Amino acid sequence: MLKFDHVSKRYSDGGDALRDVSFHLKKGEIAFLTGHSGAGKSTLLKLVAIMELCNQGHILLDGQNLSKVKKKYIPFVRRDLGLIFQDNKLLNDRTVFDNVALPLIVSGYRIQEVSRRVRAVLDKVGLSGKEKKFPLALSGGEQQRVGIARAFVNKPKLILADEPTGNLDPELSKEIMGVFEQFQKVGVSVLIASHDENLVSKIGHRVLTLDHGQLVTS
Amino acid sequence: MKRTAAKSQNNNQFYGQVRAYFHIHAHALFSSLGRLVKTPFTSIMTISVMAIAMTLAASFYLFVDNMEKLTGNLESTNQISLYLKPDVSDKESKGLANEIRKNSSIKKVDLISKKQAMDEFKTYSGFGDALSILETNPLPIVIQILPKNSLNDVLGIENLMMSFAQYSQIDFVKMDMGWVNRLHSIVQLIKRSVFLLTVLLSVAVIFITGNTIRLELQNRRDEVLIEKLVGATHSFIQRPFLYTGFWLGFISGIMAWLLVTAMALILQNPIERLSLLYKGSFEMSFLSFFDTAILLFIASFLGILGAWGVLGYQIAQIKPK
Ligand SMILES: Nc1ncnc2c1ncn2[C@@H]1O[C@H](COP(=O)(O)OP(=O)(O)O)[C@@H](O)[C@H]1O
Ligand SMILES: [Mg+2]
């Protein structure tokens, strides 16, 4: 599903963020990406979402070489991904429904289909009945789940989560991990960047560890 | 059987997509209007400035239109005078005048003999006594010509004048432009200036919209960023902003129409009274239905153009690319 082949990334105004990283994430697999702060976790996820371009090596997403994707087609690659951010990146002037519906609207789904899918996914993350609320009226955990619902609503092949449990208490973290595992069961691959050693070690999924841009365990 | 079922399902899907497409457009259209209403102060300021620029252009246009109508109503007094050589006899000049009368583009030919010219000169110049000292009459014979369609057909008049230059009896040809024609030329000049001015004002409107849209885009950076991350295409992202540009232009256009019409109504009475004083029957024209349609079309178009001009670059500036 996702393959890194000797990938290196250097920011124009900084040092090496990633050095010669290679790994392969299979379809329906969950993996954690850990490492100290500044190890390159966010950078790795950004490369997959084509938010940054790598300097060396190849990244293959479902067989497609990301460095060869034409600018015009980048949006269509992103439609196969579900992105989850530590700061959620929700639009606070739109309702929960509108936030979650955004990826579907962007892809041109019809209204009935949008409505049906949004309700289904909100139900899955335990937010049914909160469609009409605004993000700021929700708790931190609920907001995070809105972000997850939005990442999943388009039925992506791969979910990329950057510190999805960053500022949540352990109870909520576990709950959110449960949601990811549900998605895994329907064949979605999940890559979760987290420096939360506790969470990572307890659950027993595959762990990729970055140290100063180099992959030390995979 | 199976095939038709599949086909009808395809059709359904197709219509569903079309409906979704229209839904997106309708949504963008009205939500961008809603956004303008939400920030009334900024919107009113922007729209007013744009409307004033459009009012200037439209009212100049209306002014020129009325001037043209006015000068078109008045009869031309363009004349061509043919000054004959001193040795041409009266008889010869009569023959020449008759020949010229045959020209179909000429309305009227007057022959002024040496004697007539002298009498006229004596009467009007005030040199009467001094002139009687002269032994011979120094004034030439003149043939005065009033061309047809003399008002609009400058080229025709020129051709006519050239053709006279061929006669050996004619010393020189002179055109006396009537004041109506002068006015007409001035109106043509104003018309051209108004066109240039309209171009300038249009550029101003484009820049105002562009800048407004740029600020709007900056206010909505987060939204654009998130839309990009969930796979929005450039045309999806720019669509609501193009509609904002459309509304800015369209509403300004309506406002400009109101202003121009109000101005015309205020001026209508005094102008028509003035025309009565000069025994004219001038009826002022307003922006016609067609003019209004053009005004609104251009206004909306300029709004969209201004928005489109900044969107390409500005959206690309918002990371990720
Ligand atoms: N946009 C950027 N420009 C320059 N350097 C950056 C940028 N983003 C990250 N870096 C650098 O790249 C390295 C990896 O950062 P990051 O991927 O954010 O690490 P992590 O997410 O593991 O904390 C750090 O040294 C960081 O300073
Ligand atoms: Mg990070």
Side-chain angles (χ1 to χ4, degrees):
Chain A
M1 169 52 57
L2 178 65
K3 194 169 180 194
F4 269 58
D5 186 16
H6 301 289
V7 173
S8 296
K9 168 68 184 174
R10 165 178 288 168
Y11 287 105
S12 53
D13 54 348
D16 290 326
L18 290 176
R19 271 181 286 177
D20 198 31
V21 172
S22 300
F23 69 90
H24 185 191
L25 185 73
K26 292 192 195 70
K27 184 169 155 49
E29 187 179 21
I30 291 191
F32 280 99
L33 188 61
T34 63
H36 60 93
S37 173
K41 304 181 292 293
S42 298
T43 301
L44 193 151
L45 298 188
K46 280 179 186 166
L47 290 179
V48 181
I50 325 187
M51 292 162 75
E52 296 286 350
L53 294 174
C54 64
N55 306 103
Q56 273 172 41
H58 300 290
I59 303 168
L60 299 172
L61 177 65
D62 214 10
Q64 188 172 27
N65 189 340
L66 293 187
S67 35
K68 297 220 170 102
V69 174
K70 288 209 185 95
K71 211 171 158 184
K72 210 165 82 174
Y73 296 112
I74 291 177
F76 300 94
V77 173
R78 292 202 181 119
R79 287 178 194 182
D80 283 339
L81 301 174
L83 304 181
I84 297 164
F85 308 90
Q86 182 171 6
D87 62 355
N88 296 324
K89 293 209 193 303
L90 299 179
L91 292 168
N92 290 328
D93 59 347
R94 298 201 195 173
T95 60
V96 167
F97 183 95
D98 287 345
N99 267 286
V100 175
L102 192 63
L104 299 176
I105 305 272
V106 154
S107 309
Y109 280 87
R110 357 180 197 169
I111 309 97
Q112 294 92 327
E113 179 76 0
V114 170
S115 180
R116 195 183 62 71
R117 283 218 203 174
V118 169
R119 274 169 226 289
V121 78
L122 282 177
D123 191 42
K124 206 165 207 154
V125 299
L127 284 177
S128 42
K130 309 230 159 150
E131 291 95 337
K132 295 212 171 78
K133 293 221 160 155
F134 285 89
L136 293 179
L138 302 176
S139 72
E142 286 171 325
Q143 287 179 24
Q144 195 82 37
R145 278 181 283 166
V146 176
I148 292 172
R150 184 183 63 193
F152 192 69
V153 75
N154 214 3
K155 295 191 178 152
K157 296 172 187 162
L158 172 64
I159 290 205
L160 303 171
D162 198 354
E163 315 273 0
T165 59
N167 15 355
L168 301 181
D169 56 54
E171 200 56 33
L172 274 173
S173 301
K174 245 168 120 187
E175 205 181 307
I176 284 177
M177 276 313 302
V179 175
F180 284 135
E181 279 159 1
Q182 272 186 35
F183 293 154
Q184 179 200 14
K185 281 189 196 113
V186 290
V188 179
S189 313
V190 185
L191 186 57
I192 305 164
S194 175
H195 63 262
D196 186 351
E197 299 284 344
N198 267 335
L199 181 82
V200 175
S201 57
K202 250 187 251 165
I203 292 172
H205 289 296
R206 182 179 173 193
V207 177
L208 306 167
T209 309
L210 279 170
D211 185 14
H212 294 97
Q214 278 179 307
L215 202 56
V216 288
T217 60
S218 59
Chain B
M1 259 327 267
K2 231 181 189 172
R3 191 173 284 170
T4 50
K7 201 173 168 188
S8 90
Q9 200 185 349
N10 268 347
N11 266 343
N12 271 343
Q13 240 167 23
F14 175 72
Y15 287 123
Q17 298 255 291
V18 170
R19 277 233 300 280
Y21 186 75
F22 278 113
H23 180 79
I24 284 178
H25 272 273
H27 180 78
L29 181 66
F30 290 109
S31 65
S32 55
L33 181 62
R35 248 178 255 276
L36 285 177
V37 175
K38 262 190 206 159
T39 53
F41 189 71
T42 323
S43 305
I44 287 173
M45 294 278 274
T46 308
I47 288 172
S48 302
V49 175
M50 287 169 68
I52 288 170
M54 290 177 195
T55 305
L56 277 176
S59 56
F60 284 146
Y61 164 80
L62 194 58
F63 174 74
V64 170
D65 191 46
N66 276 299
M67 283 299 274
E68 270 194 316
K69 204 171 140 194
L70 183 68
T71 56
N73 277 345
L74 298 170
E75 216 197 325
S76 153
T77 54
N78 259 346
Q79 272 192 357
I80 298 174
S81 302
L82 309 178
Y83 292 85
L84 304 190
K85 287 184 178 150
D87 55 352
V88 178
S89 69
D90 277 351
K91 201 180 158 214
E92 221 177 328
S93 67
K94 265 181 199 147
L96 185 61
N98 282 334
E99 199 180 324
I100 291 172
R101 263 187 202 105
K102 287 178 199 152
N103 191 326
S104 62
S105 62
I106 287 169
K107 200 163 150 191
K108 202 170 150 220
V109 177
D110 279 329
L111 183 67
I112 301 168
S113 68
K114 286 189 181 192
K115 194 175 170 313
Q116 274 172 304
M118 184 51 111
D119 290 346
E120 236 172 74
F121 194 71
K122 274 182 182 161
T123 322
Y124 294 113
S125 70
F127 291 120
D129 295 336
L131 285 169
S132 44
I133 299 170
L134 293 172
E135 278 170 26
T136 55
N137 184 345
L139 296 174
I141 301 173
V142 178
I143 299 175
Q144 277 190 335
I145 291 164
L146 196 67
K148 284 179 186 163
N149 302 328
S150 53
L151 190 61
N152 294 317
D153 195 6
V154 178
L155 208 71
I157 291 178
E158 267 173 17
N159 281 340
L160 205 59
M161 284 170 71
M162 300 263 268
S163 72
F164 293 139
Q166 287 165 7
Y167 291 99
S168 59
Q169 301 97 320
I170 295 175
D171 198 6
F172 63 94
V173 182
K174 191 171 156 275
M175 186 172 78
D176 305 314
M177 214 192 218
W179 69 271
V180 174
N181 294 65
R182 272 173 225 194
L183 188 62
H184 184 75
S185 317
I186 292 171
V187 170
Q188 291 305 314
L189 187 70
I190 294 176
K191 196 174 174 184
R192 205 161 285 186
S193 324
V194 165
F195 175 75
L196 291 177
L197 210 67
T198 304
V199 171
L200 277 181
L201 289 168
S202 304
V203 172
V205 167
I206 290 173
F207 283 165
I208 297 166
T209 329
N211 197 45
T212 308
I213 297 294
R214 191 181 57 82
L215 292 174
E216 170 83 358
L217 193 65
Q218 263 164 19
N219 285 337
R220 291 163 66 186
R221 274 188 95 78
D222 291 344
E223 192 180 327
V224 171
L225 178 75
I226 291 168
E227 281 175 354
K228 278 189 176 188
L229 290 177
V230 299
T233 55
H234 181 77
S235 58
F236 180 92
I237 295 171
Q238 76 170 3
R239 189 172 301 134
F241 296 98
L242 289 180
Y243 277 119
T244 306
F246 162 78
W247 282 119
L248 286 175
F250 186 73
I251 298 171
S252 308
I254 290 179
M255 218 162 129
W257 182 85
L258 287 172
L259 285 172
V260 171
T261 306
M263 272 163 49
L265 279 174
I266 291 169
L267 293 178
Q268 185 184 24
N269 258 330
I271 286 177
E272 290 185 357
R273 232 179 294 143
L274 190 70
S275 114
L276 272 184
L277 277 184
Y278 286 89
K279 303 200 169 51
S281 58
F282 177 65
E283 216 176 290
M284 200 172 126
S285 63
F286 288 78
L287 289 178
S288 67
F289 179 75
F290 184 68
D291 294 336
T292 308
I294 296 260
L295 171 68
L296 291 182
F297 176 79
I298 292 179
S300 317
F301 176 75
L302 291 178
I304 294 172
L305 195 65
W308 182 78
V310 297
L311 283 170
Y313 176 74
Q314 294 289 338
I315 289 176
Q317 283 310 97
I318 295 175
K319 280 209 153 194
K321 299 263 155 71

